[in-house]
Amino acid sequence: QPMTTQTAYASAHAVGLAGQIATTDPTNIDSKTNASATAIAFGTLVDYGTGDNECVPHAATGKPVGIAIIDPTLPALNADTYKRYDSVNILRRGVVWVTVGAAVEEGDPVYYVDATGVWTNVAGGGANIRLGSAVYESAAANAALAKIRVEL
């Protein structure tokens, strides 16, 4: 029997994945244990936990430590998240892909939307948290991927 062959190809690959390091610029990556029963999704904001070397998903009253980045060694069943007690890779400095909740432009300030877990360039009347001096390194439409430069 003849072998099957692929006959359809995508015209372009995806630019990246949420939580993926986007450039070869110098990075600073910490690891902390997810102390929460709530999973931490790749590309989302992470807060310091209550104990040493612990982290938790971001909350409005939390203290941000960085952005959860992809760990390709995690089981597929984790569904692109860090489960409780997983060691979370956290980007403190560098450029990372994130999913945005509004159209953004290169150079815009970076805000995190607690209610949805996505990133934006809008302060939202103070409801969204400004991520220090972070800026967008690329433009993107709503619900697309954009690069942000982090310096925490």
Side-chain angles (χ1 to χ4, degrees):
Q1 252 184 334
M3 289 180 51
T4 59
T5 58
Q6 182 175 350
T7 59
Y9 300 90
S11 62
H13 293 287
V15 294
L17 302 168
Q20 182 179 9
I21 301 294
T23 68
T24 58
D25 291 359
T27 59
N28 181 355
I29 300 169
D30 286 344
S31 62
K32 296 185 180 297
T33 301
N34 180 7
S36 173
T38 302
I40 297 173
F42 298 161
T44 60
L45 191 58
V46 179
D47 288 345
Y48 286 100
T50 55
D52 289 346
N53 296 313
E54 290 183 347
C55 66
V56 294
H58 179 68
T61 58
K63 296 177 185 171
V65 63
I67 299 171
I69 59 171
I70 288 176
D71 182 347
T73 67
L74 289 174
L77 293 176
N78 275 30
D80 296 340
T81 64
Y82 292 97
K83 304 295 186 200
R84 186 175 203 171
Y85 305 124
D86 282 347
S87 182
V88 181
N89 295 324
I90 303 169
L91 183 72
R92 308 277 320 263
R93 176 179 176 232
V95 182
V96 62
W97 290 103
V98 296
T99 303
V100 295
V104 299
E105 296 293 329
E106 186 175 13
D108 284 352
V110 176
Y111 292 88
Y112 188 73
V113 183
D114 288 324
T116 59
V118 296
W119 301 87
T120 186
N121 56 355
V122 179
N128 301 335
I129 182 168
R130 173 79 164 100
L131 192 61
S133 62
V135 295
Y136 286 97
E137 289 281 302
S138 65
N142 181 31
L145 291 171
K147 293 186 286 188
I148 61 173
R149 180 172 298 279
V150 179
E151 299 274 347
L152 293 175

